Amino acid sequence: MEELKARIELLKEKDPVKMQDLERKYGLLKFELLEAKKAVELQEIALADVKGEWIKDNSDENLAVMREEEQNLKVARLNYTAAVEKMDIMKTVVFLLS
């Protein structure tokens, strides 16, 4: 990400007006990526807690909660993957512009 930021800065020096939007979008994507990563980490912790409860008490209710948390983790991972792909697209755009 540092190389991408450096290329954006270089482009910004060449044409500051046009590149302001690109820099703003980069900032938003970076924030989205970090938030998605944090969400995955928190969901992994939540799933581990629920699994611990299910191990203590093999009830159907705990099993249902565990399955739900597993689905939530899948969604969080998909969101993270989408954020990574958006950042990859941003990299491609910046490299094509430079």
Side-chain angles (χ1 to χ4, degrees):
M1 274 206 290
E2 291 304 316
E3 181 183 354
L4 178 59
K5 180 68 175 166
R7 283 186 183 252
I8 289 173
E9 287 298 322
L10 182 65
L11 287 170
K12 190 176 168 189
E13 289 173 9
K14 292 179 183 178
D15 191 350
V17 175
K18 287 183 181 177
M19 293 305 127
Q20 257 183 338
D21 187 49
L22 186 65
E23 186 176 37
R24 182 185 64 77
K25 287 179 182 175
Y26 168 77
L28 291 172
L29 286 176
K30 185 175 177 183
F31 177 77
E32 182 180 339
L33 184 64
L34 293 173
E35 287 296 307
K37 183 178 180 183
K38 188 187 324 178
V40 168
E41 291 168 354
L42 291 174
Q43 192 57 46
E44 286 173 339
I45 292 168
L47 179 58
D49 289 343
V50 170
K51 280 185 178 181
E53 289 300 315
W54 182 74
I55 289 170
K56 290 179 195 173
D57 176 14
N58 291 341
S59 70
D60 289 340
E61 182 181 325
N62 283 342
L63 180 60
V65 171
M66 187 175 71
R67 297 284 187 234
E68 183 179 338
E69 293 299 332
E70 287 173 340
Q71 289 301 315
N72 291 341
L73 179 57
K74 286 180 184 178
V75 169
R77 285 182 175 155
L78 287 173
N79 288 337
Y80 178 73
T81 300
V84 168
E85 289 175 5
K86 288 179 189 177
M87 188 59 81
D88 286 343
I89 291 169
M90 171 64 80
K91 286 179 188 174
T92 301
V93 167
V94 169
F95 290 132
L96 289 174
L97 290 173
S98 57

